[in-house]
Amino acid sequence: MYIIQTLVNVLPDPEKPICLNVKYDKSPSFPAGGTFPDFMVSVLSEDDTIIKNINPARISMKMWEAQSGRVTTFSCSKVKDDKEDGFFYFRDKVVPERVGTYMIQFTFAMDKTNMLNSEQIIIEVVPNDPVRLLPDSLPATPAVSNVRAQTSRTLVKDLYLHLMDEYNNHTGLDLVGKIIAKIKSPNEDFEIPQFQGKVNTVEFPLENGSAEINLVLAEDSPGRDSTEYILVFEPHLPALKKPLEPYCLSFMFYNDSKKQQLMATLTREKDQLSKSIDLYRKMFDTTNQLVAEMKCQVKEAETREAVLKNELKKHQIELPQTNTLQYVDSLLKKKMLEQEGVMKQPRRTCTLPNYPKGNQDILGKIAHLAQIEDNEAAKVISWHLASDMDCVVTLTTETARSIFDETQGRQQVLPLDSIYKKTLPDWSRPLPHLRNGRTLFRPIGNPVFARDLLTFPDNIEHCQTVFGMLLGDTIIIDNLDAANHYRKEVVKITHCPTLLTREGDRIRSNGKFGGLQNKAPPMDKLRGMVFGAPMPKLYSTISVQIDLLQQYRAAVIKFDSVNKDLDLHLQSLNTPEMQKRKQELAEQEKSLKLVKQKLGMTPALSDKGAESLLQPIILDISDTPIPPKRMRRDTVKKLYR
């Protein structure tokens, strides 16, 4: 009995995605509200090459906070250069406003159910630069007098002020400085109360971005009875070039302790009303901002639908006024069948086996790098390059050498890093009979550079280097008579390159023609070593139409959805519950005004502090302005924070 063992070499699939490669600048920190560095994402196949021709909509970036787990999804940015095929960029994405640990992960939708995820990127969002001074929580309005009892003279006790960034994150932990407290009067003619010790200012050390504040008025301090004053806390930080906003706290001053106790009760009532009114206002402001955002979404969806409809018209597709979705679905099915039919049509293909792309440095065999639409041109150019068609092109000499060793020297290789590029032809150079925009003689036979008949499915820049070297300025022309006429005229003014005719003849650059070595055989004699034909132009036309129809269908559904959401939200604004809240707010504002009158608060300060509270509550929804994009982004963040 004999046992036969067969070794099967399974080659990696260059079209099967196995992982996502993510590159970004890992050196910078991530301050709250800043901008992330650009993320560059590519999809790698089994043979470790980058897969191209992927719809950017299938690549997304997901980010979530480690604690909350709430996910935010971003789409990739537009490609700036066609040479970046295969790379997907996520540019100008905004860092979250809240400090904490976040996860970022990139996702490739392989199909409707299967997703390919990148490794998770863990980032720490740190506080931004300090801009203001704030307490842990808003303190009550102090009501003090200048009597002997210290409790009646205490302005603030155990008040902690912190350096905060623009997004109210505690910051400046590495800063050292001081806070200077002083009292301001709303009127220059009023006496200014003094702190304990009969001083006008008190300094407090600020360390690790925080300071503890305790302030007491001086006994028998000057000051006008029943007057509102302002405590001003000014931060002084030598390390900062720009001064920070001070924190201000209003307080009421009385000369009578009994009156002070009564007014303290009224002050607490004022503070409670102010907080309640502020909550109502925030709720109504949020409602108005949400309406503005939803209106903007409707406007954007409507514009998107109109733009796509106009694009479809340019591609000879007219849409009916009614039953649009049904018509689009029907037309999509029809176009997909047409596309499938075009794909199945027979076309010229290169049957020469390509070399396995084991790594990214292997571009493939020359026969597979280019395509030619015209059959006669494909035949004569393939024959002209017959000795090079089987050659494997690599990016580096090292890779070429490894292929040479693996095949014991039987495989031709061409490393691009060994090509002297200064002598390569300029692809924008005109034909020899044209100079400075003038025609030196009238050619016959439709001459054209052979290189201009090539199309490159991938690696355009590298392929231009390869075929620029192999073809040079070789020209394709109709027949031998036209070629001889062209050469005879060209040599009068300059050197004439090799001429190939569509009938299969060749006139070398030295003028020699004729003989079997200068005559291309029939196509079937080339044994499949011929450049393939690209997809018919009809295929590209149908593909564009299908893509536009799919985009239009999604735009119509989106427009209908956001319109319905807006209508439902506008209806909710007129419910009895919402009307009741508006009435409650109006009543509380009226009560606040009466309490302030009883307190005898200084009109100038009182009006300034309550100015925003006494304005109309709800904007007319129909006139709600559409905010700019940056404002809308911030609005949405606040709504869902």
Side-chain angles (χ1 to χ4, degrees), residues 458-477:
D458 298 304
N459 305 303
I460 295 175
E461 190 173 344
H462 294 320
C463 289
Q464 285 182 341
T465 299
V466 172
F467 288 94
M469 182 194 66
L470 295 176
L471 288 173
D473 290 328
T474 299
I475 293 172
I476 299 289
I477 201 165

PDB file of all heavy atoms in Angstrom, residues 458-477:
ATOM      1  N   ASP A 458      -5.383  50.665 -10.496  1.00  0.00           N
ATOM      2  CA  ASP A 458      -4.783  50.957  -9.187  1.00  0.00           C
ATOM      3  C   ASP A 458      -3.387  51.543  -9.386  1.00  0.00           C
ATOM      4  O   ASP A 458      -2.796  51.445 -10.470  1.00  0.00           O
ATOM      5  CB  ASP A 458      -4.664  49.682  -8.328  1.00  0.00           C
ATOM      6  CG  ASP A 458      -6.016  49.056  -8.031  1.00  0.00           C
ATOM      7  OD1 ASP A 458      -6.867  49.769  -7.481  1.00  0.00           O
ATOM      8  OD2 ASP A 458      -6.200  47.874  -8.358  1.00  0.00           O
ATOM      9  N   ASN A 459      -2.869  52.129  -8.310  1.00  0.00           N
ATOM     10  CA  ASN A 459      -1.470  52.582  -8.263  1.00  0.00           C
ATOM     11  C   ASN A 459      -1.086  53.423  -9.485  1.00  0.00           C
ATOM     12  O   ASN A 459      -0.099  53.151 -10.175  1.00  0.00           O
ATOM     13  CB  ASN A 459      -0.527  51.374  -8.154  1.00  0.00           C
ATOM     14  CG  ASN A 459      -0.856  50.490  -6.976  1.00  0.00           C
ATOM     15  OD1 ASN A 459      -0.879  50.940  -5.839  1.00  0.00           O
ATOM     16  ND2 ASN A 459      -1.129  49.228  -7.247  1.00  0.00           N
ATOM     17  N   ILE A 460      -1.875  54.459  -9.748  1.00  0.00           N
ATOM     18  CA  ILE A 460      -1.711  55.252 -10.973  1.00  0.00           C
ATOM     19  C   ILE A 460      -0.303  55.827 -11.086  1.00  0.00           C
ATOM     20  O   ILE A 460       0.346  55.726 -12.138  1.00  0.00           O
ATOM     21  CB  ILE A 460      -2.760  56.376 -11.013  1.00  0.00           C
ATOM     22  CG1 ILE A 460      -4.168  55.771 -11.114  1.00  0.00           C
ATOM     23  CG2 ILE A 460      -2.509  57.323 -12.173  1.00  0.00           C
ATOM     24  CD1 ILE A 460      -5.285  56.788 -11.032  1.00  0.00           C
ATOM     25  N   GLU A 461       0.188  56.418 -10.011  1.00  0.00           N
ATOM     26  CA  GLU A 461       1.500  57.078 -10.077  1.00  0.00           C
ATOM     27  C   GLU A 461       2.615  56.077 -10.370  1.00  0.00           C
ATOM     28  O   GLU A 461       3.495  56.333 -11.204  1.00  0.00           O
ATOM     29  CB  GLU A 461       1.759  57.804  -8.760  1.00  0.00           C
ATOM     30  CG  GLU A 461       2.960  58.722  -8.796  1.00  0.00           C
ATOM     31  CD  GLU A 461       3.098  59.557  -7.526  1.00  0.00           C
ATOM     32  OE1 GLU A 461       2.128  59.658  -6.755  1.00  0.00           O
ATOM     33  OE2 GLU A 461       4.197  60.105  -7.320  1.00  0.00           O
ATOM     34  N   HIS A 462       2.578  54.930  -9.690  1.00  0.00           N
ATOM     35  CA  HIS A 462       3.604  53.899  -9.931  1.00  0.00           C
ATOM     36  C   HIS A 462       3.498  53.350 -11.350  1.00  0.00           C
ATOM     37  O   HIS A 462       4.527  53.112 -12.011  1.00  0.00           O
ATOM     38  CB  HIS A 462       3.463  52.766  -8.926  1.00  0.00           C
ATOM     39  CG  HIS A 462       3.755  53.165  -7.508  1.00  0.00           C
ATOM     40  ND1 HIS A 462       4.786  54.012  -7.180  1.00  0.00           N
ATOM     41  CD2 HIS A 462       3.147  52.834  -6.334  1.00  0.00           C
ATOM     42  CE1 HIS A 462       4.821  54.189  -5.866  1.00  0.00           C
ATOM     43  NE2 HIS A 462       3.825  53.492  -5.325  1.00  0.00           N
ATOM     44  N   CYS A 463       2.266  53.153 -11.823  1.00  0.00           N
ATOM     45  CA  CYS A 463       2.077  52.609 -13.178  1.00  0.00           C
ATOM     46  C   CYS A 463       2.556  53.590 -14.237  1.00  0.00           C
ATOM     47  O   CYS A 463       3.096  53.185 -15.279  1.00  0.00           O
ATOM     48  CB  CYS A 463       0.611  52.257 -13.407  1.00  0.00           C
ATOM     49  SG  CYS A 463       0.055  50.813 -12.475  1.00  0.00           S
ATOM     50  N   GLN A 464       2.377  54.887 -14.004  1.00  0.00           N
ATOM     51  CA  GLN A 464       2.882  55.873 -14.961  1.00  0.00           C
ATOM     52  C   GLN A 464       4.404  55.803 -15.043  1.00  0.00           C
ATOM     53  O   GLN A 464       4.982  55.979 -16.123  1.00  0.00           O
ATOM     54  CB  GLN A 464       2.435  57.267 -14.546  1.00  0.00           C
ATOM     55  CG  GLN A 464       0.965  57.538 -14.822  1.00  0.00           C
ATOM     56  CD  GLN A 464       0.551  58.944 -14.441  1.00  0.00           C
ATOM     57  OE1 GLN A 464       1.226  59.616 -13.660  1.00  0.00           O
ATOM     58  NE2 GLN A 464      -0.556  59.401 -14.995  1.00  0.00           N
ATOM     59  N   THR A 465       5.047  55.516 -13.918  1.00  0.00           N
ATOM     60  CA  THR A 465       6.503  55.352 -13.929  1.00  0.00           C
ATOM     61  C   THR A 465       6.892  54.133 -14.760  1.00  0.00           C
ATOM     62  O   THR A 465       7.798  54.206 -15.614  1.00  0.00           O
ATOM     63  CB  THR A 465       7.028  55.192 -12.489  1.00  0.00           C
ATOM     64  OG1 THR A 465       6.706  56.360 -11.735  1.00  0.00           O
ATOM     65  CG2 THR A 465       8.532  54.981 -12.475  1.00  0.00           C
ATOM     66  N   VAL A 466       6.217  53.001 -14.532  1.00  0.00           N
ATOM     67  CA  VAL A 466       6.542  51.755 -15.238  1.00  0.00           C
ATOM     68  C   VAL A 466       6.338  51.906 -16.742  1.00  0.00           C
ATOM     69  O   VAL A 466       7.247  51.639 -17.548  1.00  0.00           O
ATOM     70  CB  VAL A 466       5.674  50.597 -14.702  1.00  0.00           C
ATOM     71  CG1 VAL A 466       5.875  49.346 -15.559  1.00  0.00           C
ATOM     72  CG2 VAL A 466       6.015  50.301 -13.255  1.00  0.00           C
ATOM     73  N   PHE A 467       5.165  52.350 -17.149  1.00  0.00           N
ATOM     74  CA  PHE A 467       4.862  52.408 -18.585  1.00  0.00           C
ATOM     75  C   PHE A 467       5.515  53.611 -19.262  1.00  0.00           C
ATOM     76  O   PHE A 467       5.729  53.605 -20.477  1.00  0.00           O
ATOM     77  CB  PHE A 467       3.353  52.400 -18.802  1.00  0.00           C
ATOM     78  CG  PHE A 467       2.732  51.063 -18.527  1.00  0.00           C
ATOM     79  CD1 PHE A 467       2.191  50.766 -17.286  1.00  0.00           C
ATOM     80  CD2 PHE A 467       2.743  50.066 -19.489  1.00  0.00           C
ATOM     81  CE1 PHE A 467       1.639  49.527 -17.016  1.00  0.00           C
ATOM     82  CE2 PHE A 467       2.194  48.817 -19.233  1.00  0.00           C
ATOM     83  CZ  PHE A 467       1.643  48.542 -17.988  1.00  0.00           C
ATOM     84  N   GLY A 468       5.838  54.640 -18.471  1.00  0.00           N
ATOM     85  CA  GLY A 468       6.629  55.723 -19.045  1.00  0.00           C
ATOM     86  C   GLY A 468       8.003  55.233 -19.447  1.00  0.00           C
ATOM     87  O   GLY A 468       8.553  55.628 -20.482  1.00  0.00           O
ATOM     88  N   MET A 469       8.574  54.338 -18.650  1.00  0.00           N
ATOM     89  CA  MET A 469       9.879  53.770 -18.964  1.00  0.00           C
ATOM     90  C   MET A 469       9.788  52.769 -20.116  1.00  0.00           C
ATOM     91  O   MET A 469      10.618  52.759 -21.026  1.00  0.00           O
ATOM     92  CB  MET A 469      10.447  53.072 -17.726  1.00  0.00           C
ATOM     93  CG  MET A 469      11.838  52.485 -17.927  1.00  0.00           C
ATOM     94  SD  MET A 469      12.309  51.347 -16.631  1.00  0.00           S
ATOM     95  CE  MET A 469      11.144  50.032 -16.881  1.00  0.00           C
ATOM     96  N   LEU A 470       8.739  51.914 -20.108  1.00  0.00           N
ATOM     97  CA  LEU A 470       8.628  50.855 -21.115  1.00  0.00           C
ATOM     98  C   LEU A 470       8.212  51.383 -22.487  1.00  0.00           C
ATOM     99  O   LEU A 470       8.733  50.944 -23.514  1.00  0.00           O
ATOM    100  CB  LEU A 470       7.616  49.805 -20.652  1.00  0.00           C
ATOM    101  CG  LEU A 470       7.980  49.010 -19.385  1.00  0.00           C
ATOM    102  CD1 LEU A 470       6.843  48.078 -19.001  1.00  0.00           C
ATOM    103  CD2 LEU A 470       9.263  48.210 -19.602  1.00  0.00           C
ATOM    104  N   LEU A 471       7.271  52.319 -22.514  1.00  0.00           N
ATOM    105  CA  LEU A 471       6.752  52.813 -23.797  1.00  0.00           C
ATOM    106  C   LEU A 471       7.425  54.102 -24.250  1.00  0.00           C
ATOM    107  O   LEU A 471       7.465  54.389 -25.456  1.00  0.00           O
ATOM    108  CB  LEU A 471       5.236  53.045 -23.686  1.00  0.00           C
ATOM    109  CG  LEU A 471       4.360  51.801 -23.629  1.00  0.00           C
ATOM    110  CD1 LEU A 471       2.915  52.189 -23.351  1.00  0.00           C
ATOM    111  CD2 LEU A 471       4.446  51.008 -24.933  1.00  0.00           C
ATOM    112  N   GLY A 472       7.924  54.889 -23.291  1.00  0.00           N
ATOM    113  CA  GLY A 472       8.503  56.168 -23.673  1.00  0.00           C
ATOM    114  C   GLY A 472       7.496  57.014 -24.431  1.00  0.00           C
ATOM    115  O   GLY A 472       6.350  57.185 -24.009  1.00  0.00           O
ATOM    116  N   ASP A 473       7.903  57.547 -25.599  1.00  0.00           N
ATOM    117  CA  ASP A 473       7.019  58.378 -26.425  1.00  0.00           C
ATOM    118  C   ASP A 473       6.434  57.606 -27.602  1.00  0.00           C
ATOM    119  O   ASP A 473       6.045  58.196 -28.627  1.00  0.00           O
ATOM    120  CB  ASP A 473       7.785  59.604 -26.944  1.00  0.00           C
ATOM    121  CG  ASP A 473       8.102  60.588 -25.837  1.00  0.00           C
ATOM    122  OD1 ASP A 473       7.291  60.689 -24.895  1.00  0.00           O
ATOM    123  OD2 ASP A 473       9.151  61.252 -25.905  1.00  0.00           O
ATOM    124  N   THR A 474       6.369  56.274 -27.479  1.00  0.00           N
ATOM    125  CA  THR A 474       5.806  55.451 -28.556  1.00  0.00           C
ATOM    126  C   THR A 474       4.431  55.970 -28.971  1.00  0.00           C
ATOM    127  O   THR A 474       3.602  56.300 -28.124  1.00  0.00           O
ATOM    128  CB  THR A 474       5.698  53.982 -28.093  1.00  0.00           C
ATOM    129  OG1 THR A 474       7.001  53.510 -27.782  1.00  0.00           O
ATOM    130  CG2 THR A 474       5.082  53.113 -29.176  1.00  0.00           C
ATOM    131  N   ILE A 475       4.217  56.015 -30.298  1.00  0.00           N
ATOM    132  CA  ILE A 475       2.977  56.582 -30.851  1.00  0.00           C
ATOM    133  C   ILE A 475       2.189  55.497 -31.575  1.00  0.00           C
ATOM    134  O   ILE A 475       2.757  54.638 -32.267  1.00  0.00           O
ATOM    135  CB  ILE A 475       3.308  57.747 -31.815  1.00  0.00           C
ATOM    136  CG1 ILE A 475       3.897  58.919 -31.027  1.00  0.00           C
ATOM    137  CG2 ILE A 475       2.072  58.196 -32.595  1.00  0.00           C
ATOM    138  CD1 ILE A 475       4.424  60.042 -31.895  1.00  0.00           C
ATOM    139  N   ILE A 476       0.875  55.530 -31.420  1.00  0.00           N
ATOM    140  CA  ILE A 476      -0.049  54.648 -32.147  1.00  0.00           C
ATOM    141  C   ILE A 476      -0.651  55.452 -33.296  1.00  0.00           C
ATOM    142  O   ILE A 476      -1.097  56.589 -33.106  1.00  0.00           O
ATOM    143  CB  ILE A 476      -1.176  54.132 -31.237  1.00  0.00           C
ATOM    144  CG1 ILE A 476      -0.601  53.313 -30.077  1.00  0.00           C
ATOM    145  CG2 ILE A 476      -2.181  53.301 -32.019  1.00  0.00           C
ATOM    146  CD1 ILE A 476      -0.037  51.978 -30.478  1.00  0.00           C
ATOM    147  N   ILE A 477      -0.679  54.833 -34.503  1.00  0.00           N
ATOM    148  CA  ILE A 477      -1.236  55.499 -35.682  1.00  0.00           C
ATOM    149  C   ILE A 477      -1.981  54.466 -36.515  1.00  0.00           C
ATOM    150  O   ILE A 477      -1.811  53.252 -36.322  1.00  0.00           O
ATOM    151  CB  ILE A 477      -0.096  56.196 -36.473  1.00  0.00           C
ATOM    152  CG1 ILE A 477      -0.634  57.286 -37.379  1.00  0.00           C
ATOM    153  CG2 ILE A 477       0.773  55.185 -37.193  1.00  0.00           C
ATOM    154  CD1 ILE A 477       0.455  58.235 -37.895  1.00  0.00           C
TER     155      ILE A 477
END
